[in-house]
Amino acid sequence: MIKPGIFISFEGIDGAGKSTHIEALAAAFRAQGRAVTLTREPGGTPLAEKLRAMVLNDPMDALTEALLIFAARRDHLVQVIEPALARGDVVLCDRFTDATFAYQGGGRGFDLGMLSVLEQWVQSVQGLPADMIRQPDMTVWFDLAPEIAAQRLSGARVPDKFEAQPVEFFRRVAQGYAQRAAQSPQRFARIDAARDRHQVWQQITSAMVRRGWLAIMVAANGGPK
C-alpha cells in the first residue's frame, strides 16, 4: 500500500538558513525509506526555471512579476508536485505561495486580494474538493530578524534583485510571513532561525516527530553537516 504523500514547504527571508536544512531533512526522510522530491520555487521544471531567471533578474512591474510567479507555480504543480504526491513521495519545496504573499504582497505592496484570486485559480487541482486548493501539509517558517539575515548574506554571492533590496523591504517581507502564519497557524511551524544550526535542526525535527512523519531516532541522528 502506498503511503500518502507529504507536502512540506520551507519559507523565510533570504539569509534565514532554509537551504542548509532542507537537504538535511531530505536525507532524514530517505533514511527511513521514504522517496523524496526536493524542489524549489520559482522553478522546479524547465519552464518554471526560465521564468525564475526572469523574475529574479529582469525589471518588471508588480503585476507582471506576480503573473510570472503563478505561471511557474502552475507548471510546477502539474508537472512535479502533484505527480510526486500521487506516488507517495515526501515533497520538500524551497518556498511556495506564502513567499509570494510575503515578497510581492508584503515587500512590494501588491494587492493581496489579487494574489488570493491567483492562488485560487492556480492551486485548484484535480482530486481535491471544489472548495479546496493545494497547500503544503506543513510550512516550516524560518523566522529571523532582517538585520541578522542581511549580515549573513553580505558578501556571500552576487545578489539577485530581491537580495539586493534594503533592510526595510525585508522587514515588510517578514511581516508578510507573520500575517500568513497568523491566518494558518495549524499549517505553520515557526522556527527561531537566530539560534545555532543544531538548535534549528532540533526545532524542525521536533515538528516532524509531532506529526508522526519522522521517527525520533532518525531525527536525532541526522542534521546539516
Side-chain angles (χ1 to χ4, degrees):
M1 182 176 176
I2 297 176
K3 289 185 177 181
I6 303 170
F7 182 16
I8 302 169
S9 63
F10 274 50
E11 295 284 1
I13 62 176
D14 295 281
K18 297 182 288 63
S19 301
T20 301
H21 289 88
I22 197 169
E23 296 276 359
L25 188 59
F29 275 111
R30 291 182 182 123
Q32 63 179 32
R34 293 298 298 256
V36 176
T37 294
L38 188 59
T39 189
R40 69 176 182 175
E41 288 213 350
T45 71
L47 172 59
E49 289 292 334
K50 292 176 184 176
L51 296 175
R52 175 190 178 90
M54 295 167 64
V55 167
L56 294 185
N57 298 293
D58 294 349
M60 61 188 71
D61 77 342
L63 176 57
T64 303
E65 193 171 271
L67 289 171
L68 288 177
I69 288 170
F70 274 106
R73 180 162 299 129
R74 181 65 187 180
D75 192 59
H76 191 207
L77 275 167
V78 171
Q79 301 295 336
V80 175
I81 295 175
E82 292 302 319
L85 293 174
R87 293 192 302 267
D89 285 14
V90 176
V91 177
L92 301 180
C93 191
D94 188 346
R95 295 211 170 104
F96 195 61
T97 309
D98 299 304
T100 310
F101 279 80
Y103 276 80
Q104 279 66 47
R108 295 221 183 280
F110 188 67
D111 183 73
L112 296 178
M114 178 65 75
L115 292 180
S116 294
V117 170
L118 292 170
E119 181 181 33
Q120 290 288 331
W121 287 354
V122 167
Q123 291 164 230
S124 296
V125 295
Q126 191 172 11
L128 290 178
D131 60 342
M132 290 184 65
I133 61 173
R134 175 65 70 198
Q135 293 285 17
D137 298 301
M138 176 186 284
T139 295
V140 182
W141 172 34
F142 285 64
D143 189 13
L144 184 68
E147 293 80 6
I148 299 175
Q151 291 173 5
R152 291 181 179 179
L153 279 176
S154 61
R157 59 180 179 272
V158 177
D160 60 42
K161 74 179 186 185
F162 292 101
E163 293 169 339
Q165 293 293 320
V167 169
E168 183 53 43
F169 174 84
F170 288 104
R171 290 196 186 102
R172 296 194 299 271
V173 172
Q175 183 59 37
Y177 275 125
Q179 290 173 354
R180 287 286 281 186
Q183 292 164 3
S184 303
Q186 299 303 314
R187 175 165 64 84
F188 272 75
R190 179 190 171 275
I191 304 300
D192 182 356
R195 298 189 180 184
D196 67 38
R197 186 177 295 185
H198 177 67
Q199 290 172 322
V200 169
W201 175 248
Q202 285 183 319
Q203 293 176 77
I204 296 167
T205 52
S206 293
M208 302 299 151
V209 170
R210 285 195 298 271
R211 291 286 189 102
W213 294 339
L214 273 187
I216 293 175
M217 287 303 297
V218 171
N221 292 332
K225 305 303 181 186

Short mmCIF file of all heavy atoms in Angstrom, two decimals, residues 91-149:
data_model
loop_
_atom_site.label_atom_id
_atom_site.label_comp_id
_atom_site.label_asym_id
_atom_site.label_seq_id
_atom_site.Cartn_x
_atom_site.Cartn_y
_atom_site.Cartn_z
N VAL A 91 7.41 15.62 -0.57
CA VAL A 91 7.81 16.76 -1.40
C VAL A 91 8.31 17.87 -0.49
O VAL A 91 7.56 18.38 0.35
CB VAL A 91 6.64 17.27 -2.27
CG1 VAL A 91 7.08 18.50 -3.07
CG2 VAL A 91 6.15 16.17 -3.20
N LEU A 92 9.58 18.22 -0.63
CA LEU A 92 10.18 19.32 0.13
C LEU A 92 10.44 20.45 -0.85
O LEU A 92 11.25 20.31 -1.77
CB LEU A 92 11.49 18.88 0.78
CG LEU A 92 11.41 17.70 1.76
CD1 LEU A 92 12.79 17.40 2.33
CD2 LEU A 92 10.43 17.98 2.88
N CYS A 93 9.75 21.55 -0.65
CA CYS A 93 9.82 22.66 -1.61
C CYS A 93 10.38 23.90 -0.93
O CYS A 93 9.83 24.38 0.08
CB CYS A 93 8.42 22.94 -2.16
SG CYS A 93 8.40 24.07 -3.56
N ASP A 94 11.46 24.42 -1.48
CA ASP A 94 12.07 25.66 -1.00
C ASP A 94 11.24 26.82 -1.54
O ASP A 94 11.39 27.24 -2.66
CB ASP A 94 13.52 25.74 -1.50
CG ASP A 94 14.29 26.90 -0.90
OD1 ASP A 94 13.65 27.80 -0.31
OD2 ASP A 94 15.52 26.92 -1.03
N ARG A 95 10.29 27.25 -0.72
CA ARG A 95 9.32 28.31 -0.99
C ARG A 95 8.12 27.80 -1.79
O ARG A 95 8.23 26.91 -2.63
CB ARG A 95 9.94 29.53 -1.67
CG ARG A 95 10.95 30.25 -0.81
CD ARG A 95 10.97 31.75 -1.13
NE ARG A 95 11.76 32.46 -0.13
CZ ARG A 95 12.99 32.91 -0.34
NH1 ARG A 95 13.57 32.73 -1.50
NH2 ARG A 95 13.64 33.55 0.62
N PHE A 96 6.97 28.42 -1.47
CA PHE A 96 5.74 28.15 -2.21
C PHE A 96 4.92 29.45 -2.16
O PHE A 96 5.50 30.54 -2.14
CB PHE A 96 5.01 26.94 -1.63
CG PHE A 96 3.94 26.36 -2.52
CD1 PHE A 96 4.25 25.85 -3.77
CD2 PHE A 96 2.61 26.33 -2.10
CE1 PHE A 96 3.26 25.33 -4.59
CE2 PHE A 96 1.62 25.80 -2.91
CZ PHE A 96 1.94 25.30 -4.15
N THR A 97 3.62 29.37 -2.09
CA THR A 97 2.78 30.57 -2.24
C THR A 97 2.95 31.57 -1.11
O THR A 97 2.77 32.78 -1.31
CB THR A 97 1.31 30.16 -2.36
OG1 THR A 97 1.20 29.16 -3.38
CG2 THR A 97 0.43 31.34 -2.74
N ASP A 98 3.27 31.12 0.09
CA ASP A 98 3.48 32.07 1.18
C ASP A 98 4.55 33.09 0.83
O ASP A 98 4.47 34.26 1.23
CB ASP A 98 3.86 31.33 2.47
CG ASP A 98 2.77 30.37 2.91
OD1 ASP A 98 1.63 30.83 3.10
OD2 ASP A 98 3.06 29.17 3.05
N ALA A 99 5.56 32.66 0.06
CA ALA A 99 6.61 33.58 -0.35
C ALA A 99 6.07 34.67 -1.26
O ALA A 99 6.50 35.83 -1.20
CB ALA A 99 7.73 32.82 -1.06
N THR A 100 5.09 34.33 -2.10
CA THR A 100 4.51 35.33 -2.99
C THR A 100 3.76 36.39 -2.19
O THR A 100 3.86 37.59 -2.46
CB THR A 100 3.56 34.65 -4.00
OG1 THR A 100 4.24 33.54 -4.61
CG2 THR A 100 3.13 35.62 -5.08
N PHE A 101 3.01 35.94 -1.19
CA PHE A 101 2.30 36.90 -0.34
C PHE A 101 3.29 37.74 0.47
O PHE A 101 3.04 38.92 0.72
CB PHE A 101 1.33 36.17 0.58
CG PHE A 101 0.03 35.82 -0.09
CD1 PHE A 101 -0.07 34.71 -0.90
CD2 PHE A 101 -1.09 36.61 0.10
CE1 PHE A 101 -1.27 34.38 -1.53
CE2 PHE A 101 -2.30 36.31 -0.52
CZ PHE A 101 -2.38 35.18 -1.34
N ALA A 102 4.39 37.13 0.88
CA ALA A 102 5.37 37.87 1.69
C ALA A 102 6.18 38.85 0.84
O ALA A 102 6.34 40.02 1.21
CB ALA A 102 6.31 36.90 2.40
N TYR A 103 6.70 38.38 -0.30
CA TYR A 103 7.59 39.21 -1.12
C TYR A 103 6.81 40.19 -2.01
O TYR A 103 7.07 41.40 -2.00
CB TYR A 103 8.51 38.34 -1.97
CG TYR A 103 9.73 37.88 -1.22
CD1 TYR A 103 9.66 36.80 -0.34
CD2 TYR A 103 10.95 38.52 -1.37
CE1 TYR A 103 10.78 36.38 0.37
CE2 TYR A 103 12.07 38.11 -0.68
CZ TYR A 103 11.99 37.04 0.20
OH TYR A 103 13.09 36.63 0.91
N GLN A 104 5.88 39.66 -2.81
CA GLN A 104 5.14 40.55 -3.70
C GLN A 104 4.07 41.34 -2.93
O GLN A 104 3.87 42.51 -3.19
CB GLN A 104 4.49 39.74 -4.84
CG GLN A 104 5.43 39.41 -5.99
CD GLN A 104 6.54 38.45 -5.60
OE1 GLN A 104 6.30 37.43 -4.95
NE2 GLN A 104 7.76 38.78 -5.98
N GLY A 105 3.39 40.67 -1.99
CA GLY A 105 2.37 41.35 -1.21
C GLY A 105 2.96 42.25 -0.14
O GLY A 105 2.74 43.47 -0.14
N GLY A 106 3.75 41.67 0.77
CA GLY A 106 4.34 42.46 1.85
C GLY A 106 5.45 43.38 1.38
O GLY A 106 5.43 44.59 1.61
N GLY A 107 6.44 42.81 0.69
CA GLY A 107 7.60 43.58 0.28
C GLY A 107 7.28 44.64 -0.75
O GLY A 107 7.65 45.81 -0.60
N ARG A 108 6.59 44.25 -1.81
CA ARG A 108 6.31 45.18 -2.91
C ARG A 108 5.00 45.93 -2.72
O ARG A 108 4.73 46.89 -3.45
CB ARG A 108 6.27 44.42 -4.24
CG ARG A 108 7.61 43.81 -4.65
CD ARG A 108 7.84 44.01 -6.12
NE ARG A 108 9.06 43.39 -6.60
CZ ARG A 108 10.27 43.91 -6.47
NH1 ARG A 108 10.42 45.06 -5.83
NH2 ARG A 108 11.32 43.28 -6.95
N GLY A 109 4.16 45.49 -1.79
CA GLY A 109 2.90 46.18 -1.57
C GLY A 109 1.84 45.87 -2.60
O GLY A 109 0.88 46.63 -2.76
N PHE A 110 1.97 44.71 -3.31
CA PHE A 110 0.98 44.35 -4.31
C PHE A 110 -0.31 43.91 -3.64
O PHE A 110 -0.31 43.37 -2.54
CB PHE A 110 1.53 43.22 -5.20
CG PHE A 110 0.65 42.91 -6.38
CD1 PHE A 110 0.48 43.82 -7.39
CD2 PHE A 110 0.00 41.68 -6.46
CE1 PHE A 110 -0.33 43.53 -8.49
CE2 PHE A 110 -0.80 41.39 -7.54
CZ PHE A 110 -0.98 42.31 -8.56
N ASP A 111 -1.42 44.11 -4.34
CA ASP A 111 -2.75 43.86 -3.80
C ASP A 111 -2.93 42.40 -3.34
O ASP A 111 -2.84 41.47 -4.15
CB ASP A 111 -3.80 44.20 -4.86
CG ASP A 111 -5.21 44.02 -4.36
OD1 ASP A 111 -5.65 44.88 -3.55
OD2 ASP A 111 -5.87 43.04 -4.74
N LEU A 112 -3.21 42.21 -2.05
CA LEU A 112 -3.36 40.85 -1.50
C LEU A 112 -4.60 40.16 -2.04
O LEU A 112 -4.61 38.93 -2.20
CB LEU A 112 -3.40 40.91 0.02
CG LEU A 112 -2.13 41.42 0.72
CD1 LEU A 112 -2.33 41.46 2.23
CD2 LEU A 112 -0.93 40.54 0.38
N GLY A 113 -5.64 40.93 -2.33
CA GLY A 113 -6.84 40.34 -2.89
C GLY A 113 -6.58 39.72 -4.25
O GLY A 113 -7.06 38.62 -4.56
N MET A 114 -5.80 40.41 -5.08
CA MET A 114 -5.44 39.87 -6.39
C MET A 114 -4.60 38.61 -6.25
O MET A 114 -4.79 37.62 -6.97
CB MET A 114 -4.69 40.91 -7.21
CG MET A 114 -4.24 40.43 -8.58
SD MET A 114 -5.61 40.05 -9.68
CE MET A 114 -6.15 41.71 -10.11
N LEU A 115 -3.67 38.61 -5.30
CA LEU A 115 -2.87 37.41 -5.06
C LEU A 115 -3.75 36.25 -4.62
O LEU A 115 -3.52 35.10 -5.02
CB LEU A 115 -1.80 37.68 -4.01
CG LEU A 115 -0.68 38.65 -4.40
CD1 LEU A 115 0.30 38.82 -3.24
CD2 LEU A 115 0.05 38.19 -5.66
N SER A 116 -4.76 36.52 -3.82
CA SER A 116 -5.67 35.46 -3.37
C SER A 116 -6.46 34.87 -4.53
O SER A 116 -6.69 33.66 -4.59
CB SER A 116 -6.64 36.00 -2.31
OG SER A 116 -5.95 36.35 -1.14
N VAL A 117 -6.87 35.73 -5.48
CA VAL A 117 -7.56 35.25 -6.67
C VAL A 117 -6.65 34.33 -7.49
O VAL A 117 -7.05 33.23 -7.91
CB VAL A 117 -8.05 36.43 -7.54
CG1 VAL A 117 -8.55 35.94 -8.89
CG2 VAL A 117 -9.15 37.19 -6.81
N LEU A 118 -5.41 34.76 -7.71
CA LEU A 118 -4.46 33.94 -8.45
C LEU A 118 -4.18 32.63 -7.73
O LEU A 118 -4.05 31.57 -8.36
CB LEU A 118 -3.16 34.72 -8.66
CG LEU A 118 -3.25 35.94 -9.60
CD1 LEU A 118 -1.97 36.76 -9.54
CD2 LEU A 118 -3.54 35.50 -11.03
N GLU A 119 -4.09 32.69 -6.41
CA GLU A 119 -3.87 31.48 -5.61
C GLU A 119 -5.00 30.48 -5.84
O GLU A 119 -4.75 29.28 -6.03
CB GLU A 119 -3.79 31.88 -4.14
CG GLU A 119 -3.52 30.73 -3.17
CD GLU A 119 -3.48 31.20 -1.73
OE1 GLU A 119 -4.22 32.16 -1.38
OE2 GLU A 119 -2.72 30.61 -0.95
N GLN A 120 -6.23 30.95 -5.83
CA GLN A 120 -7.38 30.07 -6.06
C GLN A 120 -7.36 29.47 -7.46
O GLN A 120 -7.60 28.27 -7.64
CB GLN A 120 -8.69 30.84 -5.85
CG GLN A 120 -8.97 31.22 -4.40
CD GLN A 120 -9.37 30.03 -3.55
OE1 GLN A 120 -9.95 29.06 -4.05
NE2 GLN A 120 -9.07 30.10 -2.26
N TRP A 121 -7.08 30.27 -8.45
CA TRP A 121 -7.05 29.77 -9.83
C TRP A 121 -5.96 28.72 -10.02
O TRP A 121 -6.20 27.65 -10.58
CB TRP A 121 -6.79 30.92 -10.80
CG TRP A 121 -7.94 31.85 -11.00
CD1 TRP A 121 -9.21 31.73 -10.50
CD2 TRP A 121 -7.92 33.08 -11.75
NE1 TRP A 121 -9.98 32.79 -10.89
CE2 TRP A 121 -9.22 33.64 -11.67
CE3 TRP A 121 -6.94 33.75 -12.47
CZ2 TRP A 121 -9.56 34.84 -12.30
CZ3 TRP A 121 -7.28 34.95 -13.09
CH2 TRP A 121 -8.57 35.48 -13.01
N VAL A 122 -4.76 29.05 -9.59
CA VAL A 122 -3.59 28.24 -9.92
C VAL A 122 -3.51 26.96 -9.09
O VAL A 122 -3.09 25.91 -9.57
CB VAL A 122 -2.31 29.09 -9.74
CG1 VAL A 122 -1.05 28.23 -9.75
CG2 VAL A 122 -2.23 30.15 -10.83
N GLN A 123 -3.95 27.03 -7.84
CA GLN A 123 -3.74 25.90 -6.93
C GLN A 123 -4.97 25.00 -6.77
O GLN A 123 -5.01 24.14 -5.91
CB GLN A 123 -3.26 26.42 -5.57
CG GLN A 123 -1.85 26.98 -5.69
CD GLN A 123 -1.44 27.85 -4.53
OE1 GLN A 123 -0.95 28.97 -4.69
NE2 GLN A 123 -1.61 27.35 -3.32
N SER A 124 -5.96 25.19 -7.62
CA SER A 124 -7.08 24.26 -7.69
C SER A 124 -6.64 23.10 -8.58
O SER A 124 -6.32 23.30 -9.76
CB SER A 124 -8.32 24.94 -8.29
OG SER A 124 -8.75 25.99 -7.45
N VAL A 125 -6.57 21.91 -8.02
CA VAL A 125 -6.05 20.76 -8.77
C VAL A 125 -7.05 19.61 -8.71
O VAL A 125 -7.86 19.50 -7.79
CB VAL A 125 -4.68 20.30 -8.22
CG1 VAL A 125 -3.64 21.37 -8.43
CG2 VAL A 125 -4.77 19.92 -6.76
N GLN A 126 -6.96 18.75 -9.71
CA GLN A 126 -7.85 17.61 -9.81
C GLN A 126 -7.67 16.68 -8.60
O GLN A 126 -6.54 16.43 -8.17
CB GLN A 126 -7.58 16.85 -11.10
CG GLN A 126 -8.61 15.79 -11.43
CD GLN A 126 -8.39 15.20 -12.82
OE1 GLN A 126 -7.35 15.43 -13.44
NE2 GLN A 126 -9.35 14.43 -13.29
N GLY A 127 -8.78 16.20 -8.07
CA GLY A 127 -8.72 15.28 -6.94
C GLY A 127 -8.98 15.93 -5.60
O GLY A 127 -9.25 15.25 -4.61
N LEU A 128 -8.90 17.26 -5.54
CA LEU A 128 -9.24 17.98 -4.31
C LEU A 128 -10.69 18.42 -4.37
O LEU A 128 -11.23 18.68 -5.44
CB LEU A 128 -8.34 19.21 -4.14
CG LEU A 128 -6.86 18.97 -3.82
CD1 LEU A 128 -6.13 20.31 -3.72
CD2 LEU A 128 -6.70 18.20 -2.52
N PRO A 129 -11.36 18.52 -3.21
CA PRO A 129 -12.72 19.05 -3.20
C PRO A 129 -12.78 20.43 -3.84
O PRO A 129 -11.79 21.18 -3.86
CB PRO A 129 -13.05 19.12 -1.70
CG PRO A 129 -12.16 18.10 -1.07
CD PRO A 129 -10.89 18.12 -1.88
N ALA A 130 -13.96 20.77 -4.35
CA ALA A 130 -14.11 22.00 -5.12
C ALA A 130 -13.75 23.25 -4.32
O ALA A 130 -13.32 24.25 -4.89
CB ALA A 130 -15.54 22.12 -5.64
N ASP A 131 -13.92 23.19 -3.00
CA ASP A 131 -13.66 24.38 -2.18
C ASP A 131 -12.26 24.39 -1.58
O ASP A 131 -11.95 25.20 -0.72
CB ASP A 131 -14.69 24.49 -1.05
CG ASP A 131 -14.67 23.29 -0.11
OD1 ASP A 131 -14.12 22.25 -0.51
OD2 ASP A 131 -15.22 23.39 0.99
N MET A 132 -11.39 23.48 -2.04
CA MET A 132 -10.03 23.40 -1.51
C MET A 132 -9.01 23.67 -2.60
O MET A 132 -9.25 23.41 -3.78
CB MET A 132 -9.76 22.02 -0.88
CG MET A 132 -10.51 21.75 0.40
SD MET A 132 -10.05 20.16 1.13
CE MET A 132 -8.32 20.46 1.54
N ILE A 133 -7.86 24.19 -2.19
CA ILE A 133 -6.74 24.38 -3.09
C ILE A 133 -5.52 23.68 -2.50
O ILE A 133 -5.48 23.39 -1.30
CB ILE A 133 -6.44 25.87 -3.33
CG1 ILE A 133 -6.07 26.58 -2.02
CG2 ILE A 133 -7.60 26.55 -4.02
CD1 ILE A 133 -5.61 28.02 -2.19
N ARG A 134 -4.55 23.39 -3.35
CA ARG A 134 -3.34 22.72 -2.88
C ARG A 134 -2.51 23.67 -2.04
O ARG A 134 -2.12 24.74 -2.49
CB ARG A 134 -2.51 22.21 -4.05
CG ARG A 134 -1.17 21.59 -3.64
CD ARG A 134 -1.37 20.33 -2.80
NE ARG A 134 -1.91 19.23 -3.59
CZ ARG A 134 -2.50 18.15 -3.06
NH1 ARG A 134 -2.64 18.05 -1.74
NH2 ARG A 134 -2.97 17.20 -3.85
N GLN A 135 -2.27 23.28 -0.80
CA GLN A 135 -1.37 23.98 0.10
C GLN A 135 -0.44 22.94 0.74
O GLN A 135 -0.78 21.75 0.78
CB GLN A 135 -2.14 24.71 1.21
CG GLN A 135 -2.99 25.87 0.75
CD GLN A 135 -2.20 27.10 0.39
OE1 GLN A 135 -0.98 27.03 0.19
NE2 GLN A 135 -2.87 28.24 0.32
N PRO A 136 0.71 23.35 1.23
CA PRO A 136 1.56 22.39 1.95
C PRO A 136 0.84 21.80 3.17
O PRO A 136 -0.01 22.45 3.77
CB PRO A 136 2.76 23.25 2.37
CG PRO A 136 2.76 24.40 1.43
CD PRO A 136 1.31 24.68 1.13
N ASP A 137 1.20 20.57 3.50
CA ASP A 137 0.71 19.98 4.75
C ASP A 137 1.36 20.67 5.94
O ASP A 137 0.76 20.76 7.02
CB ASP A 137 1.02 18.47 4.78
CG ASP A 137 0.31 17.73 3.65
OD1 ASP A 137 -0.93 17.79 3.60
OD2 ASP A 137 1.00 17.13 2.81
N MET A 138 2.59 21.12 5.76
CA MET A 138 3.28 21.90 6.78
C MET A 138 4.18 22.92 6.09
O MET A 138 4.80 22.62 5.07
CB MET A 138 4.14 21.03 7.70
CG MET A 138 4.95 21.83 8.74
SD MET A 138 6.08 20.81 9.71
CE MET A 138 4.93 20.02 10.83
N THR A 139 4.24 24.10 6.67
CA THR A 139 5.16 25.13 6.22
C THR A 139 6.14 25.41 7.34
O THR A 139 5.74 25.83 8.44
CB THR A 139 4.41 26.41 5.83
OG1 THR A 139 3.59 26.14 4.69
CG2 THR A 139 5.38 27.53 5.49
N VAL A 140 7.41 25.14 7.09
CA VAL A 140 8.47 25.38 8.06
C VAL A 140 8.97 26.81 7.83
O VAL A 140 9.61 27.10 6.83
CB VAL A 140 9.63 24.37 7.90
CG1 VAL A 140 10.70 24.61 8.94
CG2 VAL A 140 9.09 22.94 8.00
N TRP A 141 8.64 27.67 8.77
CA TRP A 141 8.91 29.11 8.61
C TRP A 141 10.14 29.49 9.43
O TRP A 141 10.11 29.46 10.65
CB TRP A 141 7.69 29.92 9.05
CG TRP A 141 7.91 31.40 9.13
CD1 TRP A 141 8.71 32.17 8.34
CD2 TRP A 141 7.30 32.30 10.07
NE1 TRP A 141 8.64 33.49 8.72
CE2 TRP A 141 7.78 33.59 9.77
CE3 TRP A 141 6.41 32.13 11.12
CZ2 TRP A 141 7.39 34.71 10.51
CZ3 TRP A 141 6.02 33.23 11.85
CH2 TRP A 141 6.50 34.51 11.54
N PHE A 142 11.21 29.87 8.74
CA PHE A 142 12.45 30.32 9.39
C PHE A 142 12.29 31.81 9.70
O PHE A 142 12.47 32.65 8.83
CB PHE A 142 13.64 30.09 8.46
CG PHE A 142 14.09 28.66 8.36
CD1 PHE A 142 13.26 27.69 7.82
CD2 PHE A 142 15.33 28.28 8.82
CE1 PHE A 142 13.66 26.37 7.73
CE2 PHE A 142 15.75 26.96 8.74
CZ PHE A 142 14.90 26.01 8.20
N ASP A 143 11.95 32.10 10.93
CA ASP A 143 11.69 33.47 11.36
C ASP A 143 13.00 34.07 11.86
O ASP A 143 13.60 33.58 12.83
CB ASP A 143 10.64 33.46 12.47
CG ASP A 143 10.16 34.86 12.82
OD1 ASP A 143 10.44 35.80 12.06
OD2 ASP A 143 9.50 35.00 13.87
N LEU A 144 13.45 35.13 11.18
CA LEU A 144 14.74 35.74 11.51
C LEU A 144 14.65 37.24 11.30
O LEU A 144 14.06 37.71 10.32
CB LEU A 144 15.84 35.16 10.60
CG LEU A 144 17.28 35.62 10.86
CD1 LEU A 144 17.78 35.08 12.20
CD2 LEU A 144 18.20 35.16 9.74
N ALA A 145 15.25 37.99 12.22
CA ALA A 145 15.28 39.45 12.07
C ALA A 145 16.00 39.83 10.78
O ALA A 145 17.07 39.28 10.48
CB ALA A 145 15.98 40.08 13.27
N PRO A 146 15.43 40.74 9.99
CA PRO A 146 16.06 41.12 8.72
C PRO A 146 17.49 41.61 8.87
O PRO A 146 18.33 41.39 7.99
CB PRO A 146 15.15 42.23 8.20
CG PRO A 146 13.82 41.93 8.81
CD PRO A 146 14.12 41.37 10.17
N GLU A 147 17.82 42.27 9.98
CA GLU A 147 19.18 42.77 10.18
C GLU A 147 20.18 41.61 10.28
O GLU A 147 21.30 41.69 9.74
CB GLU A 147 19.24 43.62 11.46
CG GLU A 147 18.44 44.91 11.39
CD GLU A 147 16.94 44.73 11.61
OE1 GLU A 147 16.51 43.59 11.94
OE2 GLU A 147 16.19 45.71 11.45
N ILE A 148 19.78 40.53 10.94
CA ILE A 148 20.66 39.36 11.05
C ILE A 148 20.80 38.68 9.69
O ILE A 148 21.90 38.27 9.28
CB ILE A 148 20.13 38.37 12.10
CG1 ILE A 148 20.07 39.04 13.47
CG2 ILE A 148 20.98 37.11 12.15
CD1 ILE A 148 19.43 38.18 14.56
N ALA A 149 19.70 38.56 8.97
CA ALA A 149 19.75 37.95 7.64
C ALA A 149 20.67 38.73 6.71
O ALA A 149 21.43 38.14 5.94
CB ALA A 149 18.34 37.88 7.06
#
